[in-house]
C-alpha cells in the first residue's frame, strides 16, 4: 500500500534526521544544536509515554507532567546526595543513570497506579479534571518541601553518570536519549501489535463490548496508564540531567498541556507522531522564542490549524490515515 | 446432568418499567436453543441478563452449576459465555486481526482456526472492521466470540438485515458449529431458518416463557399466536 510506504519513509526521515543533524553539529562544533535536538528527543520520549494512554487508550490525562516531574526529582535527588557524598536509597554514589532510570520509572509507575486507581473510575471531562487535580496536589507538595529545594528546585551540579560515557559532553547525552527514544517507540509498536494493545484500542471505542469478550476494561486501562507514566517518568529523569536542574515547573499543568499538544500536532496514536510533534514544539520555542516572548501565540495558531484542517496531525497529513501495524 | 446455563424466575427492570416477569430458560450442553417472540417481549433483555450486562432484581442466573447472578460481565464472559451482539458490533477502527486477537482466550479456537472457519476473514486480515461488508462484519463478530472459546455461544439477531445469500452463508456456519457440538443460544424471528439448527425453542411473551418445546413441534397455530404480526 502506498500509504504504508509513505509512513515508513516518514518514520525513517524522522528517526534519521533526529540522529544525523546532531551528528553534523558534533563535527561542526555546535553544542547548542545538539542540546536542542536532545530536548526534542526527550519531549518525544515523554510524549511516546502519554501516547500509550491517550493515543491507544483514549485516556486524556491532563496530569502527565507529574510523572515527568517525579522522574526529574529522582535524578535531582540522586545527584544531590551523591554530590554531598551521602547515600540514596541505601546506595552510596547512586548517581548512576542505570540506577536512576529504573528508580524514576518505578516511582512514576507507583504514583500512576495510585492516581489511576482513583481517576480511571471516571471518564470524559471528569477524568481530565481528576488527573489535573492529582497533578496539582503533587506539584504543590513539591514546591512546599524545603528538603529538596522547594520552589527553587534542585540544581544538578554534576550530571549523573553512565558507564563508559562522559555525560557532560552534549553528544554523549544526546545519543543516550536517542537510543532510549527508539527503544520506547519499539515498545509502543510491540504494545500496539499485542493482544493487550488491541484490547486497549477496543476499550477506547466501547468498554461494554470489551467486557462481553471477557476482558476487564479497568485492569487493561490501569496497566496502560502505569506503563505510560513510566516512560514519561524516564523522560523526566533525562530532562533533569540535560538542563542540570530538577524543577517543580516540570510538574506544572502547562507541561501536561504541552505533552498533549505534542501528540495532537504529531498525530494521536501514530508511531512517530510524538517525534514530529516534539520537533515542531521545540522548533517554535527555539526559532520564535528568540524573537518574541509570545512564541506560544504562533504555536497556538498552528495547533488551531491542525485541529481544524489536519485532524490526524503531521503524520496523517503526510502518510495518510491508514496506520502501520 | 447439570444444565450449562439456567435462568430461573428472573425479573428485570429498566428504571421503573419491568421488562422480565419471572423468565425461565435452560440450555443443556451441546444443545442449540432458539429464543423467539415478537419485538419488545424481552429476548434481548434475557440475553443481557444472562451475560450479566443487566442487573437482575429477582431470580437467579447459573452457568455450569455456578451462581453468576452477581458477577460482572467480563467474568461471565471468562467463564465461557460468548456473545455475538445484535447489529454486528465490531471494534470499527481496529483491523480484522486486531478485533480477533483482542478477544483471544486459550482453547481450540485460535487466529488460525477462526480464519480457516471464515476464509473471508483471512483475506481481510489487515482491513479496518468499518470497511467490511455487513456479512463480513457478522462473520467477524462471530469469529471474535469464538476467539474467547465460549462454552455457550449467544447469537442475537445474527442474520438481521443481511442479503439472502449472505444469510444462508451465516446459517451454514452456525450449522457447522452446532455439528461440532457447540452449545448455542439463538435469537431470531424466522422459524423456517431456525428449524434445521435449533433443537428446542423457547417462546417469550410479555417478559416470560409461554411455550417451550422441540422446534419441530412448532405448529402454524403457535407461530400465528406468538410470532405472527
Amino acid at each position: 500500500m502506498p500509504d504504508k510506504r509513505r509512513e515508513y519513509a516518514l518514520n525513517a526521515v524522522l528517526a534519521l534526521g533526529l540522529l544525523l543533524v546532531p551528528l553534523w553539529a558534533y563535527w561542526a562544533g555546535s553544542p547548542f544544536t545538539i542540546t536542542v535536538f536532545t530536548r526534542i528527543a526527550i519531549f518525544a520520549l515523554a510524549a511516546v509515554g502519554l501516547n500509550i494512554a491517550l493515543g491507544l487508550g483514549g485516556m486524556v490525562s491532563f496530569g502527565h507532567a507529574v510523572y515527568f516531574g517525579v522522574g526529574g526529582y529522582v535524578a535531582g535527588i540522586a545527584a544531590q546526595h551523591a554530590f554531598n557524598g551521602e547515600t540514596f536509597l541505601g546506595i552510596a554514589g547512586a548517581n548512576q543513570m542505570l540506577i536512576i532510570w529504573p528508580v524514576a520509572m518505578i516511582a512514576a509507575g507507583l504514583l500512576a497506579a495510585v492516581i489511576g486507581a482513583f481517576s480511571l473510575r471516571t471518564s470524559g471531562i471528569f477524568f481530565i479534571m481528576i488527573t489535573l487535580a492529582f497533578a496539582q496536589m503533587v506539584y504543590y507538595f513539591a514546591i512546599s518541601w524545603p528538603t529538596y529545594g522547594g520552589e527553587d528546585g534542585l540544581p544538578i551540579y554534576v550530571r549523573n553518570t553512565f558507564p563508559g560515557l562522559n555525560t557532560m559532553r552534549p553528544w554523549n547525552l544526546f545519543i543516550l536519549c536517542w537510543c532510549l527514544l527508539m527503544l520506547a517507540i519499539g515498545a509502543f509498536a510491540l504494545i500496539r501489535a499485542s493482544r493487550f494493545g488491541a484490547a486497549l484500542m477496543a476499550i477506547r471505542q466501547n468498554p461494554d463490548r470489551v467486557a462481553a469478550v471477557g476482558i476487564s476494561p479497568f485492569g487493561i486501562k490501569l496497566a496502560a496508564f502505569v506503563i505510560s507514566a513510566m516512560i514519561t517518568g524516564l523522560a523526566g529523569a533525562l530532562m533533569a540531567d540535560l538542563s542540570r536542574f530538577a524543577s517543580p515547573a516540570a510538574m506544572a499543568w502547562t507541561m501536561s498541556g504541552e505533552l498533549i499538544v505534542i501528540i495532537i500536532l504529531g498525530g494521536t496514536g501514530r508511531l512517530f507522531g510524538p517525534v514530529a510533534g516534539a520537533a515542531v514544539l521545540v522548533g517554535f520555542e527555539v526559532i520564535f522564542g528568540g524573537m518574541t516572548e509570545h512564541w506560544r501565540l504562533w504555536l497556538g495558531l498552528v495547533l488551531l490549524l491542525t485541529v481544524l484542517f489536519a485532524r490526524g496531525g503531521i503524520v496523517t497529513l503526510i502518510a495518510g490515515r491508514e496506520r502501520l501495524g | 446432568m447439570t444444565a450449562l446455563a439456567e435462568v430461573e424466575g428472573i425479573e428485570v427492570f429498566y428504571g421503573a418499567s419491568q421488562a422480565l416477569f419471572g423468565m425461565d430458560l435452560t440450555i443443556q450442553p451441546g444443545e442449540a436453543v432458539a429464543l423467539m417472540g415478537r419485538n419488545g417481549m424481552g429476548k434481548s433483555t434475557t440475553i443481557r441478563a444472562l451475560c450479566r450486562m443487566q442487573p437482575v432484581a429477582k431470580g437467579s442466573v447459573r452457568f455450569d452449576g455456578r451462581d453468576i447472578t452477581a458477577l460482572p460481565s467480563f467474568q461471565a464472559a471468562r467463564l465461557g459465555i460468548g456473545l455475538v451482539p445484535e447489529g454486528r458490533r465490531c471494534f470499527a477502527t481496529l483491523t480484522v486481526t486486531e478485533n480477533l486477537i483482542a478477544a483471544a482466550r486459550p482453547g481450540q479456537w485460535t487466529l488460525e482456526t477462526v480464519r480457516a472457519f471464515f476464509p473471508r476473514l483471512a483475506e481481510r486480515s489487515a482491513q479496518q472492521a468499518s470497511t467490511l461488508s455487513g456479512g463480513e462484519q457478522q462473520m467477524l463478530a462471530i469469529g471474535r466470540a469464538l476467539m474467547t472459546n465460549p462454552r455457550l455461544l449467544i447469537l442475537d439477531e445474527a442474520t438481521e438485515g443481511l442479503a439472502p445469500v449472505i444469510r444462508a452463508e451465516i446459517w451454514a456456519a452456525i450449522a457447522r458449529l452446532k455439528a461440532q457440538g457447540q452449545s448455542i443460544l439463538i435469537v431470531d424471528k424466522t422459524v423456517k431458518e431456525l428449524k434445521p439448527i435449533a433443537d428446542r425453542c423457547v417462546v417469550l411473551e410479555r417478559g416470560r416463557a409461554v411455550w417451550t418445546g422441540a422446534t419441530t413441534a412448532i405448529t402454524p397455530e403457535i407461530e400465528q399466536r406468538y410470532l405472527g404480526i
Side-chain angles (χ1 to χ4, degrees), chain A residues 1 4 192-195 197-199 201-206 208-217 321-325, chain B residues 53 73-75 77-78 81-83 85 89-95 97-99 101-105 126 128 144-145 148:
Chain A
M1 306 222 176
K4 288 198 173 176
R192 195 169 64 179
S194 69
R195 180 182 171 230
M201 290 187 281
I203 289 167
R204 184 184 57 199
Q205 289 180 40
N206 190 328
D208 295 338
R209 228 173 282 168
V210 172
V213 294
I215 299 166
S216 156
R321 294 231 152 257
E322 192 165 349
R323 60 189 164 72
L324 295 174
Chain B
M53 299 164 102
S73 66
F74 73 89
Q75 280 179 10
R78 280 182 194 178
I81 302 181
L83 174 66
R89 297 183 179 128
C90 304
F91 301 118
T93 63
L94 268 58
T95 65
T97 304
E98 284 167 346
N99 262 279
I101 59 171
R105 300 192 70 76
Q128 271 198 10
R144 186 180 64 189
T148 69

Side-chain angles (χ1 to χ4, degrees), chain A:
Chain A
M1 306 222 176
D3 274 5
K4 288 198 173 176
R5 229 179 295 149
R6 250 191 292 174
E7 186 169 355
Y8 279 122
L10 176 65
N11 293 352
V13 166
L14 286 170
L16 291 176
L18 190 60
L19 179 68
L20 294 179
V21 176
L23 190 64
W24 165 81
Y26 178 66
W27 292 117
S30 167
F32 174 73
T33 310
I34 301 180
T35 303
V36 167
F37 275 76
T38 313
R39 266 179 88 78
I40 295 177
I42 294 173
F43 273 125
L45 179 63
V48 168
L50 179 59
N51 209 16
I52 293 175
L54 191 142
L56 299 182
M59 296 174 263
V60 185
S61 166
F62 201 16
H64 251 54
V66 81
Y67 313 115
F68 194 68
V70 163
Y73 269 93
V74 169
I77 290 168
Q80 178 181 316
H81 285 303
F83 190 72
N84 296 340
E86 298 157 354
T87 59
F88 172 54
L89 301 172
I91 307 165
N95 58 339
Q96 291 281 334
M97 287 187 180
L98 290 178
I99 298 172
I100 289 163
W101 293 344
V103 172
M105 290 174 82
I106 291 167
L110 286 177
L111 187 61
V114 175
I115 293 178
F118 287 101
S119 48
L120 286 171
R121 294 178 194 282
T122 64
S123 61
I125 188 80
F126 302 104
F127 179 77
I128 297 174
M129 287 298 125
I130 202 166
T131 50
L132 174 63
F134 272 112
Q136 289 299 87
M137 275 163 62
V138 179
Y139 170 70
Y140 281 105
F141 176 76
I143 62 171
S144 55
W145 196 20
T147 320
Y148 293 118
E151 229 165 323
D152 299 329
L154 264 180
I156 297 177
Y157 298 106
V158 181
R159 269 185 198 149
N160 296 304
T161 58
F162 191 87
L165 277 182
N166 178 0
T167 53
M168 291 302 277
R169 296 230 164 101
W171 170 259
N172 289 349
L173 186 63
F174 168 79
I175 203 68
L176 282 178
C177 295
W178 187 85
C179 290
L180 287 173
L181 173 64
M182 291 303 135
L183 281 176
I185 290 175
F188 181 89
L190 284 178
I191 288 175
R192 195 169 64 179
S194 69
R195 180 182 171 230
F196 172 77
L200 184 61
M201 290 187 281
I203 289 167
R204 184 184 57 199
Q205 289 180 40
N206 190 328
D208 295 338
R209 228 173 282 168
V210 172
V213 294
I215 299 166
S216 156
F218 182 77
I220 299 268
K221 274 161 78 175
L222 186 61
F225 194 70
V226 168
I227 294 169
S228 160
M230 289 171 82
I231 295 176
T232 305
L234 174 63
L238 293 169
M239 183 55 92
D241 263 324
L242 173 69
S243 49
R244 293 165 63 184
F245 184 58
S247 165
M251 289 189 194
W253 65 273
T254 47
M255 182 68 212
S256 297
E258 274 176 10
L259 290 177
I260 295 176
V261 166
I262 287 173
I263 288 185
I264 293 173
L265 283 177
T268 314
R270 305 302 292 247
L271 194 57
F272 272 74
V275 180
V280 171
L281 183 92
V282 176
F284 268 68
E285 189 182 73
V286 171
I287 296 165
F288 292 101
M291 300 178 205
T292 164
E293 229 177 282
H294 307 294
W295 61 274
R296 281 192 177 82
L297 177 71
W298 304 108
L299 184 70
L301 203 63
V302 170
L303 185 64
L304 202 65
L305 291 174
T306 308
V307 173
L308 285 177
F309 302 112
R311 274 288 181 77
I314 296 164
V315 174
T316 308
L317 198 65
I318 296 174
R321 294 231 152 257
E322 192 165 349
R323 60 189 164 72
L324 295 174

